[in-house]
Amino acid sequence: MRETVQVLLGTKKGAFVLESDAARTAWDLRGPYCETWPINHVIADPATGALYGAGGNAWFGPAVWRSTDGGTTWTHSSRGLAYAAGEAPVASVWSLAAGHGRLYAGVEPAGLFVSDDAGESWTHVEGLQRTPSRPEWNPGGAGLILHSLVLHPDDPKQIWVGISAAGVFHTADGGETWEPRNRGTRADFMPEGQNYPEHGQCVHCLVMAPGKPERLYQQNHCGMYRSDDGGRSWASVEKGLPSSFGFPAAVHPRDPERLFLVPLNGDTAGRYMPDAQAAVWRTEDGGGAWTAAREGLPQRNAFFNVLRQALATDRLAPAGVYFGTGSGEVYASRDEGGAWTRIAEHLPTISSVETFVARG
């Protein structure tokens, strides 16, 4: 059966699709789609193959786009993507997750919405707004955004979210109630003696290990962490990395011990590749040791960054790894980071990278 690999890109000027066969040696670029709206996240629903794009801004308002033909045509809806009258309006949709027959959307200002009809209409998951700490949440550099959405693979009632700058929260009852799960993660920007609060951390990216729902990895503004108990406690795994600061994280599709990161040089030092030398860092033991993958990546004048959703893996063997840059380049590795090739350039700022492998 023929396999087709799609690399789905959200950019500041629409969605793009890179496509290849399973060899992953030649890529075709299609787009821009979604009428060149700012698109923050593009995903595929693995159950249906439908593509979804999250976007909008204060000018357009929020919307989720949908394509059922591989990206050739798109429609969008914002029906129900709104808070109650008198509350701050939803400016944009920043994250999407599909699972258990539902589609979830994380928005700015931070909140969660769910759709049971493939994005045609949306319902506010109000329980998150009732979290006692909600009045104390503060915006990160890009705003108060729910940018990480992690669904339990077997239990539809369990969801984890990451919010800047509020932290990680978990629900076990489908969104009625939520609890903070930030113990062990730092907030260096807080006053002295308050660096490990119950909430208020600036989580950048939250991902779940394959086959181990309780194993979570988190790239934070203030460190890299692993949890083996569903986020109830976190341990630092940043030793051996060139920086404690970065945005994205991506798990291996089959091995829960393998993780990929793109550290930057620091939050106040320019937020580009350390020493202006591009590298993807990887671990094979859950963060115990790290090595840099550099072959094929620029080792001079690499002053670009990689945003929080712009690193992904595919499910082929060996796994492909992909990242998109703030300067509009996409790099790919067919061998789990061993060697890299630039497969696209001159695109708008890339906000997100996801993959989908179709069979047919």
Side-chain angles (χ1 to χ4, degrees), residues 212-265:
K212 282 190 173 182
E214 293 293 295
R215 166 72 63 85
L216 301 172
Y217 294 102
Q218 176 188 162
Q219 174 64 68
N220 194 285
H221 190 107
C222 305
M224 180 64 209
Y225 301 92
R226 188 184 89 193
S227 173
D228 292 314
D229 55 10
R232 294 177 182 86
S233 62
W234 296 88
S236 172
V237 293
E238 64 199 62
K239 184 179 180 181
L241 292 170
S243 167
S244 62
F245 180 87
F247 286 106
V251 293
H252 189 278
R254 291 170 294 278
D255 187 344
E257 303 298 320
R258 295 191 185 189
L259 181 76
F260 301 89
L261 297 178
V262 184
L264 302 179
N265 67 339

Side-chain angles (χ1 to χ4, degrees), residues 40-101:
N40 299 314
H41 197 200
V42 183
I43 68 166
D45 183 343
T48 66
L51 305 184
Y52 295 95
N57 59 23
W59 179 261
F60 294 115
V64 174
W65 296 75
R66 178 173 181 254
S67 174
T68 57
D69 54 13
T72 301
T73 60
W74 296 75
T75 59
H76 70 85
S77 175
S78 58
R79 184 155 57 97
L81 280 172
Y83 293 134
E87 297 184 18
V90 175
S92 183
V93 182
W94 274 84
S95 56
L96 296 169
H100 309 295

Side-chain angles (χ1 to χ4, degrees), residues 17-322:
V17 177
L18 281 160
E19 192 166 87
S20 178
D21 60 19
R24 298 169 291 184
T25 56
W27 295 86
D28 293 322
L29 177 69
R30 296 186 280 115
Y33 298 123
C34 306
E35 298 179 9
T36 69
W37 281 32
I39 299 298
N40 299 314
H41 197 200
V42 183
I43 68 166
D45 183 343
T48 66
L51 305 184
Y52 295 95
N57 59 23
W59 179 261
F60 294 115
V64 174
W65 296 75
R66 178 173 181 254
S67 174
T68 57
D69 54 13
T72 301
T73 60
W74 296 75
T75 59
H76 70 85
S77 175
S78 58
R79 184 155 57 97
L81 280 172
Y83 293 134
E87 297 184 18
V90 175
S92 183
V93 182
W94 274 84
S95 56
L96 296 169
H100 309 295
R102 312 185 88 185
L103 184 65
Y104 291 89
V107 305
E108 176 192 8
L112 182 63
F113 288 77
V114 63
S115 174
D116 290 309
D117 55 11
E120 290 293 328
S121 62
W122 296 89
T123 301
H124 182 206
V125 181
E126 297 181 359
L128 185 59
Q129 306 303 106
R130 295 194 297 266
T131 301
S133 64
R134 177 64 183 86
E136 300 169 12
W137 297 358
N138 290 303
L144 183 59
I145 297 168
L146 195 161
H147 51 67
S148 289
L149 264 170
V150 177
L151 309 183
H152 194 287
D154 304 314
D155 184 352
K157 291 186 177 297
Q158 289 200 61
I159 305 169
W160 291 259
V161 299
I163 300 171
S164 291
V168 173
F169 295 83
H170 171 264
T171 180
D173 56 14
E176 286 295 316
T177 60
W178 297 77
E179 67 174 21
R181 292 200 170 175
N182 301 296
R183 184 159 59 89
T185 55
R186 303 191 309 274
D188 295 340
F189 44 81
M190 300 287 273
E192 187 175 352
Q194 302 178 36
N195 302 125
Y196 289 88
E198 184 180 58
H199 59 85
Q201 288 86 342
C202 189
V203 53
H204 283 175
C205 185
L206 181 70
V207 292
M208 177 182 286
K212 282 190 173 182
E214 293 293 295
R215 166 72 63 85
L216 301 172
Y217 294 102
Q218 176 188 162
Q219 174 64 68
N220 194 285
H221 190 107
C222 305
M224 180 64 209
Y225 301 92
R226 188 184 89 193
S227 173
D228 292 314
D229 55 10
R232 294 177 182 86
S233 62
W234 296 88
S236 172
V237 293
E238 64 199 62
K239 184 179 180 181
L241 292 170
S243 167
S244 62
F245 180 87
F247 286 106
V251 293
H252 189 278
R254 291 170 294 278
D255 187 344
E257 303 298 320
R258 295 191 185 189
L259 181 76
F260 301 89
L261 297 178
V262 184
L264 302 179
N265 67 339
D267 59 346
T268 62
R271 301 190 177 195
Y272 54 79
M273 294 288 172
D275 300 318
Q277 298 175 336
V280 174
W281 290 73
R282 52 188 178 170
T283 180
E284 297 182 355
D285 59 2
W290 298 91
T291 58
R294 300 182 183 273
E295 183 180 340
L297 297 177
Q299 296 303 294
R300 294 180 64 247
N301 301 325
F303 294 104
F304 55 75
N305 63 6
V306 179
L307 298 178
R308 70 178 89 244
Q309 292 167 302
L311 174 68
T313 59
D314 68 31
R315 60 177 179 80
L316 298 183
V321 189
Y322 310 85

